[in-house]
């Protein structure tokens, strides 16, 4: 491999002329145009700010880790990646591709050359020299991909060992971005190589000046690269082809849809209501009958499936059987868009898995099995209040919290009423005690005054007239 002409940093420039006059037509014009487009893509990738930033980050990492990390395998892998990138810079591929852009005619020159029938194009030695440059750069990008993958594996292994986690995360992200950029450059170089070969044929036929005598250029990049890189290029080519076919199909459907539109004369009135009444009613009736029959079939299917499930729940002799039936029923509920029933059955399935462990451990769970059957039947047809066992932990906890709150409130009310009763009895006792110590109270005086009054006044009721009351006193 070392003796191959493409595997050199400085490939000898051909001493022949750089441009030749060639017969120019529309086919050659299309080849030159495609060559310039692919050449521009490669130059854009090589001069991109993203690539330059990642390369600077790689240099900074190697500078920082040069002393403390020198014997590590990951550091050696990073050094190999840096060597590939440095060799690509020393090849000065961007200078050669920029010179190709200057040698090829621009759009105006190509238009004039088609009229004239003759145009100046890069010569055969120049194109073959550029092919060698592109092959060498593609091989370097292939090596860069392999080194990035190998170093990535080493970094991942160190992260599993929990060594230098933050540093390895930085290196992993850097290698991932460099791998993606290198793959993009490799794909662009493959397309550029095909366009160079396509332009080389008419130029060699017009002015044959062979530059490579001991080396034959490969027919495509897949023959030149290894199997892994060839597989990568094949996958990308297939993806591009699928995307192209999809876009063509979309355009075709769009054109067909535009062709289906019927242009009607605006000045002529179209009586659509008559057509709807006359022609559409039978079709609508058939469609309505079909949809009603379909909905009735769906309802009967749901009812039969629910009855079958209830029967299976009743015949289930263990939680293992019940768990299998629930596992079959949950996807069916999802397909029928029964979200509420699906949630309940999922909850019961989790409880059933826990009871399976108790059953396997030898505990008696027959009593729990009976209640579980009832819960499963309710979950499939949820009506009425939710059973306690089907409630979630949060809802049960909320219910218990409210219950304890009301119980404490009731107990506080009872204690307050008891306290007020005790206070009232204490006040009554204090009043009696004061009455006995200080003599007759105001109430006793009132009673005595009423006793001194005439019997007529005592016997007279509250409803007697005021005049009669005063007359009995003597006023």
């Amino acid at each position: 491999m070392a003796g191959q002409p493409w595997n050199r940093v400085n490939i000898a420039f051909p001493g022949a002329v750089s441009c030749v006059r060639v017969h120019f037509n529309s086919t050659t014009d299309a080849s030159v145009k495609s060559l310039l487009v692919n050449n521009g893509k490669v130059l854009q990738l090589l001069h991109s700010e993203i690539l330059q930033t990642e390369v600077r980050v790689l240099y900074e990492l190697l500078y920082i880790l040069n002393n403390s990390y020198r014997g590590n395998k990951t550091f050696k892998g990073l050094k190999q990646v840096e060597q590939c990138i440095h060799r690509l810079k020393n090849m000065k591929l961007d200078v050669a591709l920029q010179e190709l852009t200057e040698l090829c005619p621009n759009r105006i020159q190509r238009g004039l050359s088609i009229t004239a029938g003759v145009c100046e194009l890069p010569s055969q030695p120049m194109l073959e020299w550029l092919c060698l440059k592109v092959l060498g750069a593609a091989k370097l990008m292939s090596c860069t991909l392999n080194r990035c993958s190998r170093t990535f594996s080493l970094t991942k292994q160190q992260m599993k060992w929990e060594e230098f986690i933050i540093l390895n995360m930085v290196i992993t992200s850097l290698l991932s971005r460099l791998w993606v950029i290198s793959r993009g450059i490799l794909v662009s170089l493959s397309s550029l190589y095909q366009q160079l070969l396509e332009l080389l044929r008419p130029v060699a036929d017009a002015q044959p000046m062979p530059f490579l005598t001991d080396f034959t250029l490969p027919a495509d990049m897949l023959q030149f690269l290894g199997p892994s890189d060839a597989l990568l290029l094949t996958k990308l080519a297939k993806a591009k082809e699928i995307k192209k076919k999809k876009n063509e199909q979309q355009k075709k459907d769009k054109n067909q849809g535009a062709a289906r539109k019927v242009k009607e004369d605006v000045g002529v009135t179209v009586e659509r209501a008559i057509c709807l009444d006359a022609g559409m009613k039978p079709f609508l009736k058939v469609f309505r009958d079909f949809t009603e029959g379909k909905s009735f079939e769906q309802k009967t299917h749901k009812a039969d499936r629910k009855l079958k499930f209830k029967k299976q729940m009743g015949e289930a002799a263990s939680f293992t059987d019940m768990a299998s039936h629930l596992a079959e029923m949950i996807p069916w509920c999802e397909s029928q868009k029964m979200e509420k029933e699906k949630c309940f059955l999922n909850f019961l399935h989790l409880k059933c898995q826990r009871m399976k462990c108790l059953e396997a451990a030898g505990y008696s769970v027959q009593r729990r099995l009976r209640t579980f059957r009832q819960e499963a039947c309710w979950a499939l047809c949820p009506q009425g209040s939710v059973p306690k066992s089907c409630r979630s932990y949060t809802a049960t906890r909320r219910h218990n919290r409210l219950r304890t709150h009301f119980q404490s409130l009731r107990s506080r009310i009872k204690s307050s009423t008891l306290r007020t009763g005790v206070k009232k009895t204490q006040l009554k006792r204090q009043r009696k005690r004061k009455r006995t110590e200080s003599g007759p109270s105001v109430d006793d005086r009132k009673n005595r005054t009423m006793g001194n009054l005439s019997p007529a006044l005592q016997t007279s009721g509250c409803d007697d007239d005021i005049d009669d009351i005063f007359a009995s006193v003597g006023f």
Side-chain angles (χ1 to χ4, degrees), residues 48-209:
S48 65
E49 188 64 29
I50 299 173
L51 176 60
Q52 305 304 323
T53 304
E54 299 300 332
V55 171
R56 285 196 296 269
V57 172
L58 177 62
Y59 288 162
E60 291 291 333
L61 272 175
L62 291 173
Y63 179 76
I64 293 169
L65 303 175
N66 188 28
N67 293 327
S68 60
Y69 214 62
R70 186 180 295 176
N72 195 283
K73 291 183 179 180
T74 306
F75 179 78
K76 293 179 180 178
L78 284 175
K79 286 289 290 182
Q80 291 174 353
V81 174
E82 186 263 340
Q83 288 172 3
C84 293
I85 295 173
H86 187 66
R87 188 180 177 92
L88 181 66
K89 282 187 176 182
N90 291 336
M91 280 182 62
K92 298 180 181 180
L93 178 67
D94 53 344
V95 178
L97 296 180
Q98 190 65 40
E99 188 176 354
L100 175 64
T101 305
E102 294 173 357
L103 290 175
C104 290
N106 55 23
R107 183 175 60 84
I108 299 173
Q109 291 173 349
R110 291 199 305 272
L112 295 174
S113 300
I114 290 175
T115 306
V118 179
C119 181
E120 286 189 352
L121 295 178
S123 63
Q124 182 182 358
M126 185 70 182
L127 291 174
E128 290 180 353
W129 179 75
L130 284 169
C131 287
L132 289 179
K133 284 272 188 182
V134 170
L135 287 175
K139 199 66 177 179
L140 271 178
M141 288 297 100
S142 173
C143 292
T144 307
L145 289 175
N146 295 331
R147 299 303 179 188
C148 285
S149 301
R150 184 172 176 275
T151 312
F152 186 89
S153 302
L154 293 172
T155 310
K156 188 178 177 182
Q157 189 176 7
Q158 278 194 337
M159 290 179 71
K160 285 183 179 179
W161 294 340
E162 299 181 358
E163 295 180 355
F164 310 105
I165 295 177
I166 299 176
L167 176 62
N168 286 321
M169 286 180 65
V170 174
I171 294 174
T172 302
S173 59
L174 172 67
L175 290 171
S176 302
R177 293 191 294 270
L178 283 175
W179 190 90
V180 172
I181 295 170
S182 302
R183 184 189 64 175
I185 295 174
L186 178 61
V187 173
S188 301
L189 288 173
S190 176
S191 302
L192 178 62
Y193 180 74
Q194 291 299 123
Q195 297 302 324
L196 285 171
L197 290 181
E198 189 174 347
L199 184 62
L200 181 62
R201 295 188 190 98
V203 171
D205 293 339
Q207 293 286 339
M209 290 184 292

Side-chain angles (χ1 to χ4, degrees), residues 48 87 147 167 210 269 278 293 319 343 356 375 391 415 421 433 454:
S48 65
R87 188 180 177 92
R147 299 303 179 188
L167 176 62
T269 59
F319 277 100
C343 292
K356 275 173 61 178
E375 295 167 8
R391 292 176 185 167
S415 62
R433 197 178 299 116
S454 62

Side-chain angles (χ1 to χ4, degrees), residues 316-331:
S318 63
F319 277 100
T320 305
D321 300 337
M322 197 168 288
S324 62
H325 296 322
L326 285 171
E328 293 176 0
M329 200 64 185
I330 289 169

Side-chain angles (χ1 to χ4, degrees), residues 22-68:
V22 180
H23 178 69
F24 199 78
N25 52 21
S26 58
T27 306
T28 315
D29 179 35
S31 300
V32 174
K33 184 179 179 180
S34 300
L35 176 64
L36 289 174
V37 170
N38 289 288
N39 190 26
K41 288 181 181 179
V42 177
L43 283 173
Q44 186 179 3
L45 288 173
L46 291 175
H47 294 158
S48 65
E49 188 64 29
I50 299 173
L51 176 60
Q52 305 304 323
T53 304
E54 299 300 332
V55 171
R56 285 196 296 269
V57 172
L58 177 62
Y59 288 162
E60 291 291 333
L61 272 175
L62 291 173
Y63 179 76
I64 293 169
L65 303 175
N66 188 28
N67 293 327
S68 60

Side-chain angles (χ1 to χ4, degrees), residues 415-431:
S415 62
S416 64
T417 52
L418 288 173
R419 281 194 224 102
T420 53
V422 170
K423 285 182 179 180
K424 284 181 180 180
T425 54
Q426 288 177 356
L427 286 172
K428 286 180 181 180
R429 288 175 184 174
Q430 289 177 4
R431 284 175 184 176

